[in-house]
Amino acid sequence: MIKEIFRIILLSVLVNNYVLTKFLGICPFLGVSKKTDQALGMGAAVTFVMLLATAVTHPIYYYVLKTFKLEYMQTIVFILVIASLVQLVEIILKKYIPALHKSLGIYLPLITTNCAVLGICANNIKDGYGFINAMASALGCGLGFLLAMLLFAGVRSRIESSDPPKCFRGVPITLVSAAIVALSFSGFAGIIETLFA
Amino acid sequence: MMKVWKNLFKGLVRENPVLVLLLGTCPTLAMSQSVSNALGMGLAATAVLICSNFVISLLRNVIPDKVRIPCYIVVIAAFVTVVEMLMHAFLPSLYDALGTFLSLIVVNCIILGRAEMYASKNGVFDSVIDAVGMGLGFTLALFCMATVREVFGAGTFMGIDVPVIKSFTVPILKEASGGFFVFGVLIALVNKLFKREPKKEFSCAGCPSAAFCSLKREDSSCEGKESEGV
């Protein structure tokens, strides 16, 4: 049980990293990774929302949609639930824990319609994970996102001071360096089989 | 008539949603491994975009301003579900190949972005034309990227072997990192060819959350990045 959870977390942090190997959540990855503290805040917010969204959508799918044979409504229901949930959390944070809202809450609206969050909910259903495993997978994906953001924030601070050709300045050079970071993550490909053989 | 053509073609080149406006990067990177997947993804998104722009433009005077984003999302999600079911029934192999990215069309910023930026302000006919142009622009960008990645990464084109190149493939182009690399080089190429001032940042203009994004308010890095000519 513990081993399985650990395996799922490690799998989604390193091997199936959402940003660098599955291409989910690229916009915040490239948009908010300029400063380390912003990257940290965004990563933490994404992890939090992923956990929250999985905790809500997973029971909804199995106890509501499946019971009433409404599986085809998955996409509509999930996006609405996630969007309203995030708004709700933002309002609550703003009212009761303003300090946390200041450091984490400002990123919440950005994540409402983030494909990584909807993606994790849909993928958990597709993989047939139970509730505990789904939560582990959400945690792993969130941490993987955080890790990728932090690593890339470091890389970007070096790009800022470099001098690429004019047409490569800005977005293109950022993408090319993301390619190199992604390349390093592909080195983790066989790690799970070796560790949990 | 001239205006209609201009409206249609702006999405293809001058305001290409992927290569110029930098929207919809996730599906572009993920679905460009093979040409047939790229075309399937592009056309599915185009279909959703046309339908959603049509309906949202019709409803633009009915939808209250405060809850417009949730309304748009419901309309878009409904059409995505329709496309998903049709594809499951008639193109099962493509359905499997696109996987989750098919349902993730819901959160594709091109579609929400066009709803917010264009369909909510313009007439039905113009909105549909805009959707066709933008959708084809998305498909075109995906097609270009997939061609590079499939021909040089696997030595095939739509599953058919390309002679000579087949023996000198660069398999890494098919991997995740190759996707980032080809995309970056392609944008740089477009910048070079059209002598555009390169974009410093990813645009907030098409981001559906831009309206209530507090980062935008706090950090001025998002300002002044509105796409021109809309």
Side-chain angles (χ1 to χ4, degrees), chain A residues 24 30 72 75 123 166 179 183, chain B residues 81 104 106 172 177 197 202:
Chain A
L24 290 165
L30 295 171
Y72 63 90
T75 309
N123 273 342
K166 191 160 177 278
L183 194 63
Chain B
T81 309
L104 289 182
V106 179
I172 203 155
S177 47
E197 243 341 90
F202 270 70

Side-chain angles (χ1 to χ4, degrees), chain A residues 24 46 56 165 186:
Chain A
L24 290 165
V46 166
V56 175
S186 66

Side-chain angles (χ1 to χ4, degrees), chain A residues 14 18 24 28 72 84 88 95 106 146 148 156 184-187 192:
Chain A
L14 296 178
Y18 258 38
L24 290 165
Y72 63 90
S84 41
L88 191 72
K95 177 91 177 116
I106 51 166
L146 184 68
R156 276 190 86 168
S184 68
F185 265 75
S186 66
I192 296 296

Side-chain angles (χ1 to χ4, degrees), chain B residues 150-200:
Chain B
E150 200 187 332
V151 169
F152 294 103
T156 58
F157 183 76
M158 296 192 83
I160 305 159
D161 284 3
V162 178
V164 187
I165 298 177
K166 179 83 179 162
S167 9
F168 301 99
T169 53
V170 190
I172 203 155
L173 290 183
K174 281 208 92 168
E175 304 290 318
S177 47
F180 282 112
F181 182 74
V182 173
F183 193 35
V185 172
L186 215 57
I187 294 176
L189 195 69
V190 169
N191 285 344
K192 186 92 188 159
L193 285 181
F194 294 95
K195 302 223 165 40
R196 287 184 61 256
E197 243 341 90
K199 252 196 160 110
K200 274 268 148 47

Side-chain angles (χ1 to χ4, degrees), chain B residues 23-47:
Chain B
L23 299 172
T25 33
C26 306
T28 312
L29 286 167
M31 283 303 133
S32 55
Q33 277 174 327
S34 74
V35 176
S36 46
N37 285 359
L39 286 179
M41 181 71 206
L43 295 178
T46 309

